[in-house]
Amino acid sequence: MAHSPDVIAKHGLTAGEYARICQHLGREPNLLELGIFSVMWSEHCSYKSSRRYLKGFPTTGPHVLLGPGENAGVVDIGDGMAAAFKMESHNHPSYIEPYQGAATGVGGILRDVFTMGARPIASLNSLRFGDPSHPKTAWLLAGVVRGIGGYGNCIGVPTVGGEVAFDKSYNGNCLVNAFTVGVLPKNKIFKGTASGVGNPILYVGSKTGRDGIHGATMASAEFGEDSEHKRPTVQVGDPFTEKLLLEACLELFQTDALVGIQDMGAAGLTSSSVEMAGRAGSGVELDVAKVPRREEGMTPYEVMLSESQERMLLVAEAGREPEVLAIFHKWDLDAAVIGRVTDDGRVRILEGGVEVANLPVKPLTDEAPQYERPTRAPEWLPALQAFDPLSLPPPKDLGEALLALLARPTIASKEWVFGQYDHTVRLGAAVLPGKGDAAVVRVERSEKGLAMSVDCNARFVFLDPYEGARLAVAECTRNVACGGGEPLGLTDCLNFGNPERPDIMWQFAEATRGLAAACRELDVPVVSGNVSLYNETDGEAILPTPTVAVVGLLRDVTKTVGLAFRRAGDLVAVLGETRGELGGSEWLLAFHDKLAGRPPRLDVAAEKRLQQVVRQLIVSGALASAHDTSEGGVAVALAECCMADLDASFGATLQLSPGSVAPHAYLFGEDASRVVVSFSAPFQAEVAAACAAAGVPCAVLGVVGGDRLTLPGLLDVSVAQLSRAWRSGVPALMKQPGL
């Protein structure tokens, strides 16, 4: 049947793509077939604008067991064990319906990980919201945080860290990126493949409803004035059912009945079945009449495109169906045999035995459109990069400037946020949220630990996408090093605006080039990831935000440190060189409302030496604390070291020597490759010798003690004042009218 241009456009397809579909089929598609092509060819599922750039990522390494292409990446952590991890976006749903959007984002990433055969042990998140004064910011933040906590707390997987930042570019499009890591035996990795002709295909989990239909298509389009009307495309989550599904799957993994398994995430039953067939080079036949449903009168179109949560599709060995069904029924879950694996390379959809769709697999997967979209650097960028922040007047009072920076919601304490998450369930957290640059969790029945961090400074990426992306990888691996971890692998979530705009596509191309370069330079392979495009509203794009998360290994989980000063009398030092680079800094934004200049320079060789020596000194027991400098520079880092531990805060008297660097640039510049450390006097010689051998600058600044942060000639502020400012930022935001 022929479809009108309006119907084609509502499915997110261009006229050219529709013509291509007709060519693949040799006929016009029916409505169900059009819907299947629509979701499989969406940006969210096909990566049609981005795939060519992702091929440049390094994806192999000594620890990599499974790289991109499956539900999650897997790395070897030794002793027969492995870690599976991934990060995914749920941006558009969270802006429309913050609680359910964020909650189902958590549920989806948990399923991606336990689909691999892993028990999830920890989650992180990276969140971006609009200007703190925007009327919607507080409402979105409250809903998203409740959604993350509501789902993660109920299922019993601790949320152990993350990041939250604010910028006016996110006013119309918040970002919710969710990360989960799990642990599994390295010889029991399960993949999403539909292989073995005649093997049964089983549907397990919750019943199918009408929620989330065309969610993948919605996530592949920019917002406009009708965004609020897209609430029906947001899924509804049930963490209690997900807990049952998790335990049932883990029980199934102990048998040898399973051939392949896939989460029904974006595009639901369609993407899971098509992708499983595509990976195996097989075909599938499904009867939608056999799919468990919770609503009457659902059409095949609705069943195939529903994104109802807590559902899995799996392929079992022929003859093992009763055993598989018994496991899921034991856990009070729906389970049904709905199809079989075929060898014809086609997706055949039946309804009660009557064929309602018949499509080739390859055009839906490997042969989906790939675009080489035009790229063009923005005309306004050179002028921004040429701006000299030192041409602006410095603060009159450096102490007051520090207090103002500490109260900015991007820098301020996120205790209001992580206080709503259960981070102690399973008793695995060795470094709690807010206590270290990296979250550290124990690996059960092992002496090992995993250190993990999530990072991106979108301001730097905006000013120079290539260098900004390199800086994101460097900061994330540096945070892991500050927890004592050796990076094993990286996952990413690439959040950008409309790829049909040449300037946005240029940002994406340059940022992915920067990520690839930094991953090679720092020896951290990309093992999984996600691309989220069309993050803009009415033509206003978000700052380019290529978020990265890194997982590192601690061979002895007790060999870790936090960021807070631990003892009066300890010495404080800064490792690395301070140049006072203010381009793209929080200081420039806070005091002059300018996002301009060039981001800090990254010397990768110096970065590698710094991370290695920090790890070495943590493992040897020499360091009492380690904290990298980032937003707000060394002044903010020192203040956080003084007050991060509310139960045992310490002041410090430190002599900084700016030399030829302007004092405010020395304090608030956001130069890369620096770490503030503390250690007791007996370890001073070891620290100095290790840094000298590694070629890492080490400046001993002074001593921990008292109740003030005193930098003679620069500032003198009580720790109580610092703490009030730092802990007030987010609660003040949440008191906005209308929440």
Side-chain angles (χ1 to χ4, degrees):
M1 59 176 291
H3 297 284
S4 70
D6 184 55
V7 169
I8 294 168
K10 284 183 177 177
H11 280 78
L13 295 164
T14 66
E17 288 171 341
Y18 183 73
R20 189 168 172 173
I21 291 169
C22 294
Q23 185 178 9
H24 280 304
L25 297 180
R27 58 178 172 80
E28 302 266 357
N30 63 35
L31 187 63
L32 171 58
E33 293 168 335
L34 183 69
I36 290 172
F37 267 104
S38 166
V39 293
M40 293 307 299
W41 282 12
S42 67
E43 286 284 359
H44 196 79
C45 292
S46 74
Y47 290 18
K48 58 190 174 186
S49 298
S50 60
R51 192 183 299 184
R52 62 186 298 266
Y53 296 101
L54 307 182
K55 292 176 182 176
F57 288 164
T59 58
T60 59
H63 301 284
V64 177
L65 298 174
L66 195 63
E70 282 290 340
N71 292 292
V74 185
V75 295
D76 192 339
I77 61 174
D79 298 323
M81 299 299 292
F85 59 93
K86 190 182 181 185
M87 184 160 51
E88 279 271 7
S89 63
H90 233 224
N91 304 335
H92 287 64
S94 298
Y95 183 77
I96 295 168
E97 186 66 62
Y99 182 92
Q100 290 295 350
T104 52
V106 172
I109 198 64
L110 287 167
R111 290 194 300 279
D112 279 341
V113 168
F114 73 72
T115 295
M116 305 306 299
R119 178 177 287 281
I121 62 170
S123 293
L124 307 174
N125 50 72
S126 175
L127 312 176
R128 295 289 188 280
F129 299 97
D131 190 298
S133 64
H134 189 276
K136 212 167 182 180
T137 296
W139 177 75
L140 286 169
L141 175 59
V144 164
V145 170
R146 284 193 303 109
I148 292 170
Y151 206 101
N153 296 354
C154 290
I155 197 172
V157 177
T159 301
V160 295
E163 59 165 5
V164 188
F166 301 83
D167 183 87
K168 63 184 179 182
S169 74
Y170 306 104
N171 282 350
N173 198 127
C174 64
L175 300 185
V176 176
N177 295 174
F179 164 96
T180 291
V181 62
V183 175
L184 69 160
K186 64 181 289 187
N187 63 347
K188 293 279 281 186
I189 300 172
F190 291 92
K191 299 180 180 180
T193 59
S195 54
V197 175
N199 278 338
I201 298 173
L202 291 91
Y203 171 115
V204 300
S206 291
K207 289 180 169 66
T208 292
R210 290 188 171 93
D211 52 317
I213 293 174
H214 266 296
T217 308
M218 181 267 289
S220 304
E222 63 182 83
F223 282 156
E225 294 180 357
D226 65 340
S227 299
E228 298 297 325
H229 299 127
K230 295 181 178 179
R231 290 183 189 276
T233 63
V234 177
Q235 308 93 326
V236 178
D238 179 356
F240 300 103
T241 298
E242 178 116 337
K243 174 63 172 174
L244 299 176
L245 185 60
L246 164 63
E247 298 299 339
C249 286
L250 291 175
E251 182 175 335
L252 175 63
F253 297 152
Q254 300 305 309
T255 74
D256 60 355
L258 187 63
V259 174
I261 183 168
Q262 175 94 357
D263 164 41
M264 287 192 221
L269 184 54
T270 291
S271 65
S272 56
S273 58
V274 170
E275 289 173 2
M276 290 179 79
R279 293 191 190 106
S282 64
V284 293
E285 180 182 277
L286 306 176
D287 191 336
V288 294
K290 298 178 180 178
V291 172
R293 309 178 193 190
R294 66 168 181 262
E295 297 187 43
E296 297 289 335
M298 291 186 70
T299 65
Y301 183 101
E302 292 172 324
V303 173
M304 289 301 297
L305 270 62
S306 167
E307 293 185 9
S308 294
Q309 296 292 286
E310 295 86 43
R311 303 179 302 159
M312 296 287 218
L313 194 68
L314 58 89
V315 175
E317 293 282 357
R320 305 292 293 275
E321 299 94 326
E323 181 181 348
V324 175
L325 292 170
I327 290 173
F328 287 92
H329 290 153
K330 166 191 165 184
W331 288 96
D332 200 23
L333 293 164
D334 280 284
V337 177
I338 66 168
R340 63 187 180 91
V341 178
T342 63
D343 62 357
D344 59 4
R346 302 189 72 82
V347 177
R348 296 181 66 241
I349 309 301
L350 312 176
E351 184 182 30
V354 177
E355 185 174 281
V356 292
N358 189 327
L359 302 170
V361 171
K362 282 195 173 181
L364 293 167
T365 55
D366 298 342
E367 296 174 6
Q370 288 194 51
Y371 295 127
E372 188 170 345
R373 298 197 185 275
T375 62
R376 184 178 64 248
E379 295 177 357
W380 42 260
L381 187 57
L384 275 187
Q385 292 179 333
F387 178 79
D388 181 8
L390 291 174
S391 65
L392 297 172
K396 293 180 180 178
D397 186 318
L398 294 172
E400 290 298 321
L402 173 58
L403 292 171
L405 282 173
L406 289 170
R408 286 178 63 79
T410 292
I411 291 177
S413 168
K414 305 306 185 296
E415 290 167 341
W416 184 92
V417 174
F418 60 69
Q420 298 182 54
Y421 304 152
D422 187 342
H423 41 261
T424 59
V425 65
R426 301 186 65 83
L427 303 176
V431 176
L432 297 175
K435 304 301 185 184
D437 288 350
V440 179
V441 296
R442 296 176 177 85
V443 176
E444 291 182 2
R445 297 182 293 279
S446 167
E447 296 179 350
K448 302 180 192 298
L450 297 178
M452 61 202 76
S453 177
V454 57
D455 275 292
C456 180
N457 188 319
R459 293 176 282 109
F460 293 165
V461 184
F462 175 77
L463 293 172
D464 188 329
Y466 177 82
E467 292 297 340
R470 289 177 72 235
L471 287 162
V473 177
E475 181 177 352
C476 203
T477 52
R478 191 185 318 129
N479 285 339
V480 167
C482 286
E486 178 183 356
L488 301 178
L490 175 148
T491 183
D492 60 53
C493 202
L494 309 180
N495 308 276
F496 289 79
N498 185 342
E500 297 166 46
R501 291 172 45 185
D503 57 329
I504 299 295
M505 205 63 229
W506 177 82
Q507 290 178 338
F508 185 90
E510 285 294 288
T512 50
R513 188 169 69 90
L515 288 177
C519 287
R520 286 191 178 89
E521 293 162 338
L522 293 167
D523 303 318
V524 54
V526 179
V527 300
S528 59
N530 171 241
V531 176
S532 176
L533 302 177
Y534 294 96
N535 287 290
E536 56 183 76
T537 299
D538 296 329
E540 293 293 321
I542 63 165
L543 294 179
T545 314
T547 308
V548 297
V550 171
V551 173
L553 177 66
L554 288 80
R555 301 187 188 284
D556 181 349
V557 73
T558 65
K559 303 291 188 181
T560 188
V561 297
L563 65 88
F565 294 147
R566 306 311 309 166
R567 297 177 294 264
D570 278 358
L571 300 176
V572 178
V574 172
L575 309 187
E577 181 185 358
T578 297
R579 297 181 293 268
E581 296 178 278
L582 288 168
S585 66
E586 278 287 322
W587 173 83
L588 190 59
L589 202 58
F591 292 95
H592 298 283
D593 195 26
K594 289 189 76 68
L595 176 52
R598 281 196 173 273
R601 290 163 285 170
L602 176 64
D603 179 338
V604 155
E607 180 72 44
K608 290 180 75 171
R609 293 194 300 268
L610 173 69
Q611 293 186 22
Q612 180 57 43
V613 80
V614 169
R615 270 195 302 273
Q616 174 188 331
L617 291 170
I618 290 173
V619 171
S620 75
L623 298 185
S625 68
H627 182 27
D628 92 310
T629 65
S630 53
E631 287 94 344
V634 70
V636 165
L638 290 168
E640 289 171 339
C641 292
C642 289
M643 62 186 176
D645 190 341
L646 190 58
D647 297 325
S649 58
F650 293 95
T653 302
L654 311 171
Q655 186 70 54
L656 274 64
S657 303
S660 61
V661 179
H664 72 291
Y666 193 92
L667 289 176
F668 306 128
E670 298 181 6
D671 315 10
S673 310
R674 295 178 301 163
V675 174
V676 174
V677 299
S678 67
F679 47 88
S680 61
F683 287 107
Q684 183 172 4
E686 180 182 340
V687 172
C691 290
V696 173
C698 174
V700 177
L701 305 179
V703 65
V704 174
D707 59 3
R708 304 183 71 82
L709 175 60
T710 302
L711 311 178
L714 297 173
L715 58 83
D716 183 13
V717 186
S718 74
V719 174
Q721 285 178 285
L722 297 172
S723 183
R724 276 196 300 272
W726 188 59
R727 290 184 161 88
S728 70
V730 174
L733 183 161
M734 298 313 299
K735 293 177 182 175
Q736 294 289 334
L739 179 64

